[in-house]
Amino acid sequence: MIRRRVLLTCAALPCLRARAADALPMPAGGRPWRIGWLSPAAAGGSGEPGVVAAFVAGMSGKGWVRDRHYTLELRTTNDAARYGALADELLAGSPDLLLGIETTARILRQRTDRIPIVMLISIDPVAAGLVQSLARPGTNVTGMSGQFDAIVAKWIEALLELVPRARRIAYLTDPGWSSSVKGVLQQAAAARGIELELLAIGADAQSAQQALRELEARPPDGLIVPIQGGTLAHAGAIRAVVRRQRLPTVGLLPAGSVVQIGPDFAASARESADFVDGILRGARPADLPVRQATNYEVTLNAAMAREIGVDLPLALRVRATRVIE
């Protein structure tokens, strides 16, 4: 009798889950919620299937089934000049909620202060003007923020492990983006007696050509590249200079950094589902505290290291979460 009851209970579980899912709040008319996602196609963007799968898994864990309870409209590009047009495309579809990393959340926020925006990751959402504070965003934006102070310091440490005698390091930065990373880098470099040269590279071709000319005319001992509009727009040109000058590169340049240190984008996407779940159930983004991401990844590009003639120290290999051979 006990065994029969257990079997009946187990058989009923799918039905119970289905009923719980059916009880989820839905828009008028019972249509699925429309979620728009604008992101780079690389470096943790929605163009990476693992990141999308992680978000979908996070939603599934709360009972939300894709294409039944919500739809995802994905717009991806590494051309920062196209973000505006893609944002307009998403908004034309009357989304109920928007997703993006800081780079694209800023574009979306410029176009709407009404539709909730959830950040999958952000360097400094306060400095970027997306929220008023981490504890109380006070705007239509909330989500995940990375511990970039710690990550930026690790960029310097990793570069010095690759090039122990480095005395001058270049940092490619988009002048239109928040300056908090620059400040942390400058402090970390100064503490180690290293000259940090800032090279401005915007999304426009003129500033990119100027920055890359300076980089080639006076090659540094190492290079740091973050994810920003200008660096994503000209990632291919940056990689070409890295190869020609055999520059040890650290940061978040897709397929170009010998050491890539950054947030665990999949983990952040999965946690972002918490915010989406809360908002779809009636919470206001303004009242949902921004959450600090605690996981980060260290990816070593051994193939790039061999190409530019850099040895990967054992200490870096031990800390790596992934090695590209």
Side-chain angles (χ1 to χ4, degrees):
M1 180 64 71
I2 293 175
R3 181 172 180 272
R4 184 181 178 187
R5 286 176 181 170
V6 170
L7 289 173
L8 288 172
T9 301
C10 291
L13 281 176
C15 295
L16 293 174
R17 291 194 189 101
R19 288 176 186 169
D22 287 338
L24 292 170
M26 300 297 288
R31 66 166 176 80
W33 295 97
R34 300 184 185 113
I35 299 177
W37 189 334
L38 177 63
S39 197
S46 56
E48 295 186 2
V51 176
V52 176
F55 173 76
V56 171
M59 291 291 285
S60 178
K62 298 180 181 304
W64 299 92
V65 179
R66 183 179 182 181
D67 294 330
R68 178 181 175 188
H69 301 108
Y70 71 95
T71 60
L72 274 181
E73 287 293 327
L74 304 175
R75 296 293 186 276
T76 65
T77 181
N78 283 333
D79 182 356
R82 296 191 60 218
Y83 286 148
L86 293 179
D88 292 337
E89 281 185 22
L90 286 176
L91 291 172
S94 301
D96 300 296
L97 185 143
L98 296 162
L99 293 173
I101 64 172
E102 179 183 305
T103 307
T104 53
R106 290 179 61 178
I107 305 296
L108 295 168
R109 168 70 175 157
Q110 290 168 2
R111 284 161 168 75
T112 178
D113 59 2
R114 179 183 59 83
I115 301 172
I117 300 171
V118 173
M119 303 175 296
L120 294 147
I121 199 67
S122 172
I123 294 174
D124 187 338
V126 178
L130 291 169
V131 301
Q132 296 171 9
S133 72
L134 298 184
R136 194 165 181 85
T139 68
N140 63 321
V141 182
T142 188
M144 303 295 297
S145 177
Q147 295 180 323
F148 273 86
D149 284 8
I151 289 174
V152 166
K154 292 180 185 298
W155 289 349
I156 293 282
E157 292 171 8
L159 198 45
L160 289 178
E161 288 184 73
L162 289 176
V163 192
R165 296 186 179 181
R167 290 296 173 265
R168 188 172 66 86
I169 294 173
Y171 173 63
L172 287 177
T173 178
D174 188 324
W177 297 85
S178 60
S179 60
S180 56
V181 170
K182 288 189 290 187
V184 176
L185 269 177
Q186 288 170 324
Q187 291 178 4
R192 293 164 176 78
I194 296 170
E195 176 189 351
L196 183 68
E197 182 179 359
L198 304 179
L199 297 177
I201 180 166
D204 61 292
Q206 184 175 355
S207 71
Q209 291 169 1
Q210 176 64 27
L212 296 179
R213 274 198 301 266
E214 292 180 28
L215 196 60
E216 294 214 72
R218 190 167 171 255
D221 299 317
L223 179 66
I224 294 177
V225 184
I227 294 180
Q228 293 177 339
T231 57
L232 283 172
H234 305 291
I238 296 170
R239 283 193 293 267
V241 173
V242 166
R243 287 187 164 93
R244 281 197 299 271
Q245 298 296 334
R246 299 166 69 86
L247 287 176
T249 304
V250 168
L252 291 169
L253 177 64
S257 300
V258 172
V259 184
Q260 185 168 314
I261 304 175
D264 183 335
F265 290 105
S268 292
R270 191 176 300 109
E271 287 193 60
S272 295
D274 292 347
F275 293 93
V276 175
D277 174 66
I279 291 168
L280 295 186
R281 292 178 186 274
R284 297 171 64 243
D287 301 328
L288 295 177
V290 174
R291 187 182 302 174
Q292 292 277 357
T294 56
N295 297 324
Y296 67 90
E297 294 183 308
V298 179
T299 300
L300 303 184
N301 191 330
M304 177 62 77
R306 288 192 296 271
E307 183 176 341
I308 66 174
V310 172
D311 293 326
L312 289 175
L314 178 60
L316 274 176
R317 287 186 175 271
V318 169
R319 298 200 302 275
T321 52
R322 185 165 65 112
V323 178
I324 301 171
E325 294 291 352

